[in-house]
Amino acid sequence: MPFGAPGAEKIILNIDSLWSGGPFESSSYTGGNPASEEYQYLPGIRQAIFQNGTGNVNQLLGNNNYYGSFQVYANLSVTIAGVTSGTAYNRSLDLKTGLHTTVFTANDGNTYTSTVYCSYPDQVCVYNLSSTGVLPAITIALENQKADQSFYNATCGDQYVRLTGVTQLGPPTGMKYDGIAQLTTRTGTASCSKTIAGALVIPASSHIRTFSVVIGANTDYDQTAGTAATNFSFKGVDPGSYVESVTSTAAAKAESGIRQAHIADYQSLANQFTLSLPDTAKSSGLETSAMISRYSSSGSGDPYLESTLFELGRHLFISSNRDNSLPPNLQGRWSPDIEAAWGADYHADINLQMNHWGVDQTGLGNLQVATWNYMQNTWVPRGTQTAQLLYNAEGWVCHDEMNIFGHTGMKYAAQWADYPAAPAWMMQHVYDHFSYSQNVTWLQQQGYPLMKGVAQFWVTQLQPDHFFNDGSLVVNPCNSPEHGPTTFACTHYQQLIHQLFSTVLSTSSIVSDTDKGFISNVTTALKTLDKGLHIGSWGEVKEWKIPDSYGYDFENDTHRHLSNLIGWYPGYSLSSFLSGYENKTIQSAVATTLYSRGPGNGPDANAGWEKVWRSACWARLNNTSEAYFEMKYTIEQNIAGNGFSMYSGHGEPFQIDANFGFVGAALSFLVVDNPLENGSEEGRVVVLGPAIPTSWSPGEVTGLRLRGGGTVDFQWDATGTVTGAHVTGRTASIILVNKAGKVLQA
């Protein structure tokens, strides 16, 4: 993140694995798991809940000891001697190339251009500065003004500066981090500053007009060392050798070559999908902050800005989820703090999932390798222990909030910690990735084993409903995410398990699972599973199975979560498996629930993510007016002048989920592409343009991925009705219709 005044530019640098806490903070770290079994309390907990309707899980609760936080690495500081002001200042992020550029004319008469990007092919970030005249003296440093100064050391050497440190002095010694900023342009005269410790000075006598710096950094965190065999240490090798190697290799190249490789790599991803909308508000020449400040949810919208935010969401994912990374956290990568809000961790009751909403459909599905590896390496090993210690269960489980050290146990407050449904929700993304990619090899090796482990857990945990005695299988205990009582048969859980079991069964034959006992158990459980659809006394989709008379499902409950609609969107147990998309009774109950929940600015939160979720749900109802209002309301209320989504109106903290969720909401305007419960493609109908606003007209999409493989390009007319579609790369038949029901392809 570049910032700073002309002549004193700084770039915030982050390493995705740089965290405090975990085994690097305490050798007694357990991932939130108890020291011994606690599942013996479950029968009593369940009995009390079935008897009374609600209860508690106090005996299963844990703590967040040594949980830690994602933390910033450093600033790259670049100071231009004598430059104190500038005119004709322009700062831009090119969403076609991933290059950030700053241009200004300084008080010394020179025009300066700085370019910043991070190159995946070369594994470095790059800073390039050029001038129309000879550069004055330049001072380069790596600094961290927020960390304890005793924890790090800034040094300078031949053509480079370096900042190394630890997250704590110990014992035990904290996580080690190391980074080098090295010149690619050898001036021959650059030397270490005599007045600023750890700073490199390029003197004016170098007579150069441009220079470049490559920055490599890493930690000694090793995601694959989170197993019992490694004592859950997550500790790898000292990062120094890697950092030296990657920076010296990049520094030996011309900056132009690094840039070309970066652009080629970036565009190979960004160009997989395009959304073309008209510029009806004449916004293309305006500053982003000006577009956003004038934006009003009561107006006709600004398609240019809306498509820009759509592109920004995809850019952020391309820039934060790669094969050798961790998945984007609550702030993606872009945290400037030592102690980030909520630790910038992984909240898995909406936020982590929302980060992935727009990925597979827009051609970025293969970037999710980091997500699958993160679950496999940090959730499954500790989560297997959690399943045994808390639930006496097979398979594996985790709960709502996770760090990078396998924190899979409960924390200390049931309303948000008692959430073992997190893996079941994430398994939707696993299934979706196969559904769009048709990558059977990946499904066999990684996707299906993840799904199977979660299904094994839930097969052992479902209980006959002894409250209603209706013969159904339900979850007990459960807490609907961050809302309401500890009870049984939370709608959210039941819908997710319905979806999980169905998708496991539809893929088990594809991978030739020979575990007949497991398949039989899932098949049997699914037959009597409560599917999580109960319509209440005022026409709502109930969030809890207990009667409305208990007072938990009430009108105008404006809570931020839409947990009882998980099967409507982003899931499909209601909308597809129970035929809700074609069922007016279910549609009416969903609409009633959405109206009651309000627009997403209740007393509990005014967050962006709750609005884009509402927008997507309305779009799946084909209600263009409400869907578009919620999208516009998100921009008006929660998008800051730089395009980042904010958690509390325009106030801090920045939280990236709505930036990613915006992409998913927009896709919901463009397509309904739900799977059938048996996984079949035979006779499956895809609706193109279910909720396209007229202000987006005319418009066009290219590269939209379809379940079952292939892509579709399509256009729409002035009414927002899709008029033509072209499918490529697909062998299975597909029925495409527009919102008027006209068949476009069969």
Side-chain angles (χ1 to χ4, degrees), residues 426-506:
M426 285 304 297
M427 291 310 103
Q428 176 189 319
H429 293 278
V430 171
Y431 175 77
D432 284 351
H433 180 58
F434 169 71
S435 185
Y436 286 104
S437 71
Q438 295 296 291
N439 187 336
V440 175
T441 300
W442 171 81
L443 181 69
Q444 291 173 324
Q445 294 177 352
Q446 189 171 41
Y448 184 80
L450 285 169
M451 295 169 64
K452 183 175 181 177
V454 180
Q456 286 174 318
F457 172 83
W458 282 112
V459 162
T460 66
Q461 292 305 295
L462 293 171
Q463 304 290 308
D465 184 340
H466 291 308
F467 184 92
F468 288 100
N469 293 308
D470 57 6
S472 68
L473 287 175
V474 297
V475 177
N476 181 1
C478 62
N479 278 81
S480 199
E482 304 181 34
H483 191 208
T486 301
T487 181
F488 69 97
C490 298
T491 294
H492 179 83
Y493 291 60
Q494 303 296 144
Q495 293 174 9
L496 284 173
I497 295 169
H498 176 197
Q499 190 168 283
L500 171 67
F501 284 1
S502 297
T503 53
V504 163
L505 292 177
S506 70

Side-chain angles (χ1 to χ4, degrees), residues 157-173:
D158 180 24
Q159 309 288 308
Y160 73 87
V161 291
R162 187 170 193 168
L163 189 144
T164 61
V166 292
T167 54
Q168 72 175 33
L169 295 178
T173 301

Side-chain angles (χ1 to χ4, degrees), residues 26-47:
S26 172
S27 57
S28 63
Y29 180 72
T30 65
N33 283 335
S36 59
E37 295 91 346
E38 294 186 350
Y39 56 77
Q40 68 269 19
Y41 299 115
L42 267 175
I45 290 171
R46 286 168 170 158
Q47 182 180 0

Side-chain angles (χ1 to χ4, degrees), residues 192-212:
C192 297
S193 171
K194 296 179 181 178
T195 57
I196 305 173
L200 181 70
V201 177
I202 306 174
S205 59
S206 294
H207 302 298
I208 59 173
R209 295 193 177 202
T210 185
F211 75 91
S212 299

